[in-house]
Amino acid sequence: MAQGTPDAKRIEEAKKLAKDDQRKAEAIYKEILAKGPGSTEAALLDYEQALMGLGELYRDHKRAEELAELVRTSRSVLSSFAKAKTAKLVRQLLDLFSTIPNTVDLQISVTKSCIEWAISERRGFLRQNLETRLVTLYMQKPDNYKAIELINRLLKELKRLDDKLVLVEVQLLESRVLHSLGNQAKARSALTSARTSAASVYTPPMLQAGLDMQSGILHAEEKDFNTAFSYFIEAMEGYNSQDEGKKATSALQYMLLCKIMLNLVDDVNSLMTSKTALKYAGKGLEAMKAVARAHADRSLEAYEKALEDYKNELGRDVIIRGHFLRLYDSMLEQNLIKIIEPFSRVEIAHVAKMVGLDTPQVERKLSQMILDKKITGVLDQGAGCLIVYDEAERDQGYDAALETIAKLSSVVDVLYTNQASLLE
């Protein structure tokens, strides 16, 4: 800020008033902005500080509509600024929306209008940056099909321009969108392309951490939890170095997830007492510890209680929720197999009582396990029983007979061929 100018002093005054008297602070900022950026460096700096100060005021008081209007009205003045400075200010103003809840639709609308303005002003770099931001917003909504459509257009343009850094960012977003759509093969291919592009250019720590995080997520989907863990460590260290507490905590949760899925409870406990875990301690990490304890005890009741007690912490993250649902299914199957093992015929109600679940729910699961050939038996729904059969050992005689028949068939074919050649 330009020290000593009258406007600089008024901006300082407005910052002090922002919490207690927001209306007066807003009036001061607007008065300075009404003068325009001026012709001197000091006046230009004061204008920037007033613009960002007013934006931060709207953000702190959750006034999203006023912030959106500020972005729209300030663009005409920003057109006279240098391209790099304009791009920086527009990005900073749009970043202010991130802490205001339930504003994704408004952010999409404002970003689209900024893209149209960037096109009319022939600011290609800013347009690409804004379109990349729009992809991220589509993912948050979520509207993955619009996101992938925009990504495909961006990729064609960026490959032609050979802008490696933005290309890496867009390819990473492509991998995330494809993963959300359930296309793991294409998600891995997009990530490989992003890593290849990143190898030929300096990659900022945040972007590198994003690449490592996505690599870990895809390896975890393939149940390669050891490799996933190593990538999550790299991601966590990257986010930690940039003071990105929220993302570092997510990476730490994924690290704990890998250890839980590998049933390494001791490793979970040692991770929880590490320096980084203590730094980011909170309900999110406590939730992971509770799940790990329930899994180690093979207790479905404790597992369900942990999921219920920490449903906000565990339910918000799609990756954690998906893996824990699969883990629950696995634990339920193991418990059911253990219960029915001594029986040749057992009431479904008794099995349900033993696992602490509703009878219809247990019946559906047993039916699925029979179809998946994890249990050899049938459900007698009239009697409400499960009839379990002993697994019959495969008779090797049948295999030997089939092998003999196959060899005889080959001999007959050869004899037929030889006889046919003699008759010609």
Side-chain angles (χ1 to χ4, degrees):
M1 193 182 301
Q3 295 296 328
T5 64
D7 284 343
K9 291 174 182 175
R10 297 194 70 203
I11 290 168
E12 282 294 338
E13 181 189 353
K15 285 183 177 178
K16 290 174 183 175
L17 290 168
K19 286 185 180 179
D20 302 325
D21 192 347
Q22 60 168 302
R23 295 297 174 191
K24 190 173 180 181
E26 183 182 0
I28 293 170
Y29 284 133
K30 283 185 173 179
E31 191 178 327
I32 295 168
L33 292 174
K35 295 178 185 177
S39 55
T40 66
E41 188 68 30
L44 183 64
L45 195 58
D46 286 340
Y47 184 87
E48 288 176 33
Q49 292 291 332
L51 181 63
M52 290 308 300
L54 183 56
E56 287 165 3
L57 177 74
Y58 289 150
R59 176 200 64 191
D60 294 340
H61 294 279
K62 314 295 184 197
R63 294 167 64 182
E65 290 292 344
E66 287 89 340
L67 180 55
E69 188 59 30
L70 177 66
V71 174
R72 293 188 188 101
T73 54
S74 63
R75 291 197 304 246
S76 57
V77 178
L78 294 177
S79 298
S80 61
F81 286 26
K83 287 186 177 181
K85 189 178 284 294
T86 302
K88 181 184 174 184
L89 285 170
V90 170
R91 286 199 305 269
Q92 286 178 337
L93 285 169
L94 292 173
D95 284 340
L96 296 175
F97 282 102
S98 60
T99 57
I100 307 176
N102 305 318
T103 57
V104 174
D105 289 328
L106 180 60
Q107 287 185 66
I108 289 172
S109 172
V110 174
T111 306
K112 279 182 174 178
S113 69
C114 287
I115 289 169
E116 289 169 7
W117 170 76
I119 292 169
S120 67
E121 292 287 322
R122 297 177 183 274
R123 299 185 183 232
F125 177 76
L126 177 58
R127 175 187 57 77
Q128 289 172 3
N129 192 282
L130 290 170
E131 286 181 339
T132 305
R133 179 187 292 272
L134 185 58
V135 170
T136 308
L137 292 170
Y138 280 144
M139 288 171 66
Q140 289 176 19
K141 190 172 180 181
D143 193 339
N144 290 319
Y145 290 102
K146 280 187 179 178
I148 204 71
E149 185 182 339
L150 183 53
I151 283 170
N152 290 335
R153 186 158 55 79
L154 269 171
L155 285 174
K156 286 180 185 175
E157 184 180 345
L158 292 167
K159 285 173 183 175
R160 190 174 65 250
L161 296 171
D162 200 31
D163 190 339
K164 293 286 187 186
L165 192 58
V166 182
L167 182 61
V168 172
E169 191 175 347
V170 175
Q171 285 171 331
L172 176 58
L173 288 171
E174 181 187 20
S175 178
R176 287 173 178 165
V177 173
L178 290 168
H179 173 252
S180 298
L181 291 170
N183 194 332
Q184 301 304 321
K186 285 191 175 181
R188 178 160 289 286
S189 175
L191 182 62
T192 303
S193 299
R195 285 197 169 278
T196 304
S197 302
S200 59
V201 68
Y202 169 72
T203 310
M206 279 293 291
L207 186 54
Q208 184 59 52
L211 289 169
D212 290 330
M213 185 78 108
Q214 183 66 8
S215 296
I217 288 168
L218 293 182
H219 277 288
E221 288 291 340
E222 294 171 0
K223 296 183 172 58
D224 184 1
F225 294 108
N226 285 314
T227 307
F229 181 80
S230 64
Y231 277 116
F232 289 139
I233 289 176
E234 295 294 330
M236 189 269 293
E237 288 175 352
Y239 289 133
N240 185 42
S241 68
Q242 299 299 303
D243 292 325
E244 284 285 337
K246 190 174 180 181
K247 291 182 178 179
T249 304
S250 292
L252 192 54
Q253 282 184 297
Y254 294 159
M255 287 164 64
L256 290 166
L257 171 69
C258 290
K259 294 300 182 184
I260 291 168
M261 298 304 286
L262 292 167
N263 199 22
L264 299 173
V265 184
D266 291 339
D267 287 1
V268 171
N269 293 330
S270 61
L271 263 175
M272 287 296 294
T273 55
S274 66
K275 186 178 177 181
T276 311
L278 293 173
K279 179 180 178 180
Y280 298 112
K283 289 196 78 176
L285 298 187
E286 286 299 322
M288 302 300 286
K289 189 176 180 181
V291 170
R293 196 183 303 117
H295 184 224
D297 295 340
R298 300 289 178 194
S299 171
L300 276 174
E301 187 180 350
Y303 189 87
E304 287 182 328
K305 187 176 185 301
L307 293 181
E308 180 61 31
D309 291 347
Y310 298 101
K311 60 183 176 184
N312 290 330
E313 288 74 23
L314 299 175
R316 281 197 301 261
D317 194 302
V318 179
I319 309 298
I320 291 174
R321 187 171 70 237
H323 281 291
F324 279 174
L325 283 173
R326 287 192 285 273
L327 183 63
Y328 177 81
D329 270 351
S330 173
M331 285 177 65
L332 179 56
E333 285 175 4
Q334 289 170 17
N335 274 266
L336 289 172
I337 289 169
K338 188 177 178 181
I339 289 166
I340 66 175
E341 193 174 14
F343 299 98
S344 59
R345 182 185 179 94
V346 60
E347 289 185 356
I348 298 170
H350 174 70
V351 177
K353 184 180 177 183
M354 293 290 287
V355 293
L357 296 173
D358 295 334
T359 302
Q361 188 179 350
V362 172
E363 189 175 333
R364 282 195 302 272
K365 187 64 187 174
L366 288 171
S367 175
Q368 182 189 334
M369 289 172 73
I370 290 168
L371 291 171
D372 293 340
K373 297 184 178 178
K374 292 176 181 176
I375 298 174
T376 306
V378 292
L379 287 171
D380 184 345
Q381 290 183 313
C385 290
L386 169 69
I387 301 168
V388 185
Y389 301 133
D390 292 330
E391 279 194 42
E393 288 187 15
R394 187 179 179 86
D395 190 340
Q396 299 299 321
Y398 289 110
D399 294 328
L402 287 169
E403 189 179 344
T404 304
I405 291 167
K407 286 181 179 177
L408 282 170
S409 177
S410 299
V411 170
V412 171
D413 288 341
V414 171
L415 289 171
Y416 177 81
T417 306
N418 292 339
Q419 191 64 31
S421 63
L422 289 171
L423 291 171
E424 288 177 356

